[in-house]
Amino acid sequence: MFSASAADQWLQWGGPNRDFTLPDPGLAEKWPADGPRQLWKADIGPGHSAIVTDGQTLYSMCRRDDQDAVLAFNAANGDKLWETHYDAPAKPDMQLDFGAGPHSTPLVIGDRLFTIGGMAQFRCLNRKTGDVLWKHELMDELGAGTAAGVTAPARSATATW
């Protein structure tokens, strides 16, 4: 488990410096042969979202059939605090070689949690309750195409990775 000071800063993809390092002198330099002690475990579901934390709650995203889901867990014991779903069906012409997503990580800012799902649905949620405060359907609003499962305005070049 992270110390409170380090965890409080892990609010975005990759941590405070987006380099996936934790400036915490309390971390072990070497694990025991059978690994570290497991505190708890949760089956999240498919997707490519990393986990962010405000120090007490862990946030992530996954796929549930034709829906994206945003999840919040108690960091100390693994209890699910809330799960918010929204419809996110794949477009017929999308290339989903890497799955339907989500392919992004939530962002914590103040009392809000920002997400972009696999179908480019931008949501702002109350991070304590999971209630959606506002949303934008980026593919529709920006006239985006669906090349390679990545959205880009139809008037621009295809996005690749």
Side-chain angles (χ1 to χ4, degrees), residues 54-71:
D54 60 11
Q56 298 177 354
T57 305
L58 303 175
Y59 304 95
S60 193
M61 299 175 68
C62 70
R63 191 82 176 157
R64 304 262 193 251
D65 298 317
D66 278 347
Q67 294 188 318
D68 282 337
V70 185
L71 312 150

Side-chain angles (χ1 to χ4, degrees), residues 16-112:
N17 299 313
R18 293 189 176 186
D19 59 4
F20 293 96
T21 61
L22 195 62
D24 188 332
L27 290 177
E29 299 215 8
K30 184 177 172 185
W31 296 116
D34 58 348
R37 182 175 61 90
Q38 181 175 301
L39 299 176
W40 55 269
K41 179 179 175 180
D43 291 322
I44 294 177
H48 302 277
S49 181
I51 296 171
V52 295
T53 184
D54 60 11
Q56 298 177 354
T57 305
L58 303 175
Y59 304 95
S60 193
M61 299 175 68
C62 70
R63 191 82 176 157
R64 304 262 193 251
D65 298 317
D66 278 347
Q67 294 188 318
D68 282 337
V70 185
L71 312 150
F73 294 93
N74 180 306
N77 61 23
D79 288 346
K80 188 184 297 180
L81 302 174
W82 53 261
E83 181 169 334
T84 298
H85 297 225
Y86 54 88
D87 290 335
K91 307 289 185 188
D93 58 340
M94 289 186 88
Q95 296 174 5
L96 301 174
D97 296 346
F98 299 104
H103 301 283
S104 65
T105 297
L107 172 67
V108 177
I109 299 177
D111 62 352
R112 297 181 179 200

